[in-house]
Amino acid sequence: MKKGTILNRELNEVIASMGHTDYLIVCDAGFPIPSGVKRIDLALKKDVPDLETVLSLIAGDFIAENIYVAEEVETNNAPLYNKLKEIFPGVEIGTMEHQKILSEMACKAKAIVRTGAFDPWGNVILQSGVNVPQWFDKPGIVVPDYYKDKM
């Protein structure tokens, strides 16, 4: 049996298939998922599972290089913004127009994980990164300046 904490087969497969800079969206229950994008639907009822639970589990198996949320999140949903900083310490949180997340970014995602969350602007884009110490551990390899703080 699998040793990790995530039991959902589809979610494990998507995380394992992520490449550097790929997008994984973890969204609330109302997110309009485009028909051509892989959907992992975990929603059972209002707030089950919630964003915090799903994001925390994903954080244990996923290297996020960047996180993006709607421009409104920091002001209008500060609990979510603060929780993201706690779950993904040291990862930069960028913002973009909410409509861009719902349309353009949804179509670019490798997969979208739907939670049962009833959270305003509760849609989080995780951009896949690399394990910097493992990628730059061979003798003679020069670590780029933008990765030096991750060594």
Side-chain angles (χ1 to χ4, degrees), residues 18-138:
M18 299 294 287
H20 189 207
T21 73
D22 282 344
Y23 297 113
L24 176 66
I25 297 178
V26 180
C27 69
D28 61 26
F31 192 87
I33 300 173
S35 58
V37 178
K38 180 167 184 63
R39 171 194 295 249
I40 301 170
D41 199 334
L42 303 178
L44 296 173
K45 67 177 191 172
K46 181 180 179 183
D47 291 323
V48 177
D50 61 11
L51 282 168
E52 181 180 349
T53 299
V54 175
L55 288 165
S56 294
L57 288 168
I58 288 172
D61 278 348
F62 182 84
I63 298 169
E65 186 165 278
N66 293 299
I67 296 171
Y68 300 97
V69 295
E71 295 165 331
E72 296 86 351
V73 170
E74 188 172 7
T75 302
N76 297 347
N77 193 345
L80 173 59
Y81 189 82
N82 293 330
K83 192 53 70 176
L84 287 171
K85 291 192 300 187
E86 186 180 303
I87 294 170
F88 297 96
V91 179
E92 185 176 331
I93 301 174
T95 63
M96 61 180 68
E97 291 180 11
H98 189 233
Q99 188 56 42
K100 182 176 180 178
I101 293 171
L102 299 178
S103 56
E104 181 184 332
M105 299 308 291
C107 291
K108 289 181 177 182
K110 189 157 212 169
I112 299 176
V113 181
R114 180 175 174 252
T115 70
F118 277 47
D119 267 297
W121 305 280
N123 308 306
V124 180
I125 300 171
L126 304 175
Q127 184 178 17
S128 184
V130 297
N131 185 321
V132 175
Q134 289 182 356
W135 277 92
F136 294 94
D137 71 342
K138 294 180 182 159

